[in-house]
Amino acid sequence: MSERRVRVLIGKPGLDGHDRGARVVAMALRDAGIEVVYSGLRADVSAIAQAAVQEDVDVIGLSILSGAHLAICKRLVAELRERGATIPVVLGGVIPAADHSALRELGVAAIYGPETALEVVVAAVRDLALNHALPARAKGGPT
Amino acid sequence: MKDARREVSNAAEPRTRAGLPLKPSYGPDDVASPPPPPGTFPFTRGIHRDMYRGKPWTIRQYAGFGTPEETRDRFRYLLEQGQTGLSLALDLPTQLGLDSDDPRAEGEVGKVGVAVDSLDDVERIFGGIPLDRVSTSMTINATAPILLAMYEAAARRQGVAPERISGTVQNDLLKEFGARGAWIFPIEPSLRLAVDVIEDCVARLPRFNPISIASHYRDAGADPAEELAFTLAAGLAYVEACLARGLAVDRFAPRLSFFFYTYTNFFEEVAKYRAARRLWATTLADRFGAKEPASLKLRAACVCGGHSLTRAEPLNNVARTTLETFAVACGGVQSVFTAAYDEAFAIPTELSARTALRVQQIVARETEVAQVADPLGGSYFVEALTDAMEERVRAILGEVDAAGGMVECLRTGWLQQRIARSAYAQQRAIESGAQPVVGVNYPPGLGSAADRGDEVEAQRLSQTAAEEKARGLRELRARRDGPAVRRALDRLGDEARGGSNLQEPIREAVLAYATVGEITESLRQVFGTYQPPTRL
């Protein structure tokens, strides 16, 4: 089995234009040897799902600061499900603790705030990628 | 040789946030020549001789959320508590030209500001607030032409003539491409609309600032010298755009205003404002031949807070914004927004908003800072730091020029990438402990800051704002004169295809109760949409 680099899509959905966090996390992931695709600002949720499937990414990271996280995550999870994709979604930004359980119920794998250390995010993304890749590869591999 | 290398590589050598070296003490040899008194060219020490004795800074707290009524109530509360100017926060759909019932606005209506769809909303926000006696700043950019027309019309309904309204529309599109991201149209038509507003205000609204050239580069990651350099570079780009429109420099330059971020690096911030005034005055005089003193005076509003605030242990933010507010008062700015302790992660509550207002009042009334112009002037340290800041900013301005100028730097993504690199370096410095952030990485051993975030009660946002707004839009569309709206929007599209100033057709559409979304869509069909870079 050939070693493949972990691939991550950093998505900046919704209307907010502050992408400092998205860019800083993307740079940290890249420095850690992870391949990063960036959606650019105001990415359409269905386009994020589509790109994630097409680019065969292991993890989707969303950056949301505007308070629209519940609506956006709900839509993304639905879009992924429609495509039969099981790619884990990680959320970063300004996310009130009161919304964490609802987000987890939606299927968001991890939620990070402004003070989360970059190494924590990088390690979590690696773990999620590994856990995601194993069953998917086994399923899709030659029998 | 050995010593020189140590000087370069020793990470512990104290430096300011912009990397300016700090000496253990300063003396007369560190100061080139003392700057002339306040109120005289190049205005290093302030734009007025008697500064705040003659004209106190405006206490202008950024506010707005949910529905027009909720925002009006917060405005009235702040005015009752002694605020002296209004600052309107608009939600993202309004900033991006989407109506509240647009599917693209789902989840965003009334969240980071108030939702405005039509003139009707602006009339309700300012209901009972006399617009001839209070000035209003609006953080609005791509849709600034529309919001300005609505504000003017709402004032007229109160019986206040256009020449009597005062305030500011931010209307700085360059920093939207560079740092803040709330663009709609491509760069060229965006600049055209910005200059339309400047031209219109010069001709018709003598007390209104048509632009606030803003430093959001800082909050996106730029250091203080980069912040000042990029903001001044944008200012110069607007000067060139206005000259290209055929406006005379001494007609429009007095109407340009600025907006800066301020963090806790106290002395460097004071030096930044002093250097900013000197750089602007000398550049306008030398490069553009401006003669009127008003053209040469850099007027600045500022925010104390932004990225300097933390979610962990949020009450610490009161100490931070107090230092920042004191810094801008020493720095001689004209208008101040002091952020609330919860503003890094929530819409302020009445308590946090009032506390932020009190910080300003304490600085203004309980200290001596408002009685003496440029109180730190003549300090060996502050004068030396002002000179060092000016030199560093001139060097960065040279880099921007070499890379093709501000507009070209935005087009190629040079500027965005440079800011992202600075942001990344800062984040690494915080995580390594090299840059202390109290309550986050200092004192050592605090543990995960993410677990210490929610010590204060958060403002609850009404869940029904989007529904209320959608219902309001249905009613509005039913009762307004449909054909008149259509005619106004068609005219706007026609004139956009030509080259004339678009403020007049936008005013006509606004008066017909065309919505922000409809007016924007008419322009979008002519101008298209900006495509953001996805390169990191």
Side-chain angles (χ1 to χ4, degrees), chain A residues 12-32:
Chain A
K12 182 70 190 159
L15 305 182
D16 171 52
H18 296 86
D19 66 349
R20 177 183 188 149
R23 282 175 178 268
V24 166
V25 167
M27 287 164 102
L29 292 171
R30 243 180 11 190
D31 270 6

Side-chain angles (χ1 to χ4, degrees), chain A residues 23-81:
Chain A
R23 282 175 178 268
V24 166
V25 167
M27 287 164 102
L29 292 171
R30 243 180 11 190
D31 270 6
I34 292 170
E35 217 174 299
V36 182
V37 183
Y38 177 45
S39 72
L41 290 181
R42 259 184 264 163
D44 185 57
V45 171
S46 66
I48 289 177
Q50 187 62 33
V53 172
Q54 255 167 24
E55 302 272 346
D56 191 22
V57 303
D58 302 294
V59 177
I60 299 173
L62 297 181
S63 170
I64 305 174
L65 309 174
S66 68
H69 42 272
L70 282 169
I72 289 169
C73 289
K74 207 170 179 175
R75 276 191 354 241
L76 179 65
V77 167
E79 293 276 355
L80 287 172
R81 195 172 295 143

Side-chain angles (χ1 to χ4, degrees), chain A residues 15 20 31 42 66 115 118, chain B residues 108 183 219 311 424 431:
Chain A
L15 305 182
R20 177 183 188 149
D31 270 6
R42 259 184 264 163
S66 68
E115 283 115 11
L118 291 172
Chain B
E108 313 258 22
W183 36 259
D219 236 27
R311 184 168 75 160
Y424 188 45
E431 293 189 12

Side-chain angles (χ1 to χ4, degrees), chain B residues 265-334:
Chain B
N265 47 317
F266 180 89
F267 292 101
E268 187 175 33
E269 294 292 351
V270 176
K272 183 183 83 183
Y273 286 104
R274 301 172 92 247
R277 284 189 294 269
R278 189 149 80 202
L279 279 156
W280 185 248
T282 51
T283 309
L284 265 280
D286 297 347
R287 199 188 293 184
F288 299 105
K291 302 240 169 356
E292 290 294 326
S295 299
L296 307 172
K297 292 178 181 180
L298 180 146
R299 294 176 299 135
C302 64
V303 49
C304 301
H307 195 262
S308 70
L309 305 187
T310 65
R311 184 168 75 160
E313 302 182 11
L315 291 177
N316 299 345
N317 292 329
V318 179
R320 293 194 173 94
T321 55
T322 303
L323 280 170
E324 293 162 350
T325 303
F326 192 58
V328 300
C330 291
V333 307
Q334 279 59 59

Side-chain angles (χ1 to χ4, degrees), chain B residues 31 267 376-384:
Chain B
V31 182
F267 292 101
L376 297 181
S379 147
Y380 301 133
F381 174 37
V382 170
E383 295 297 351

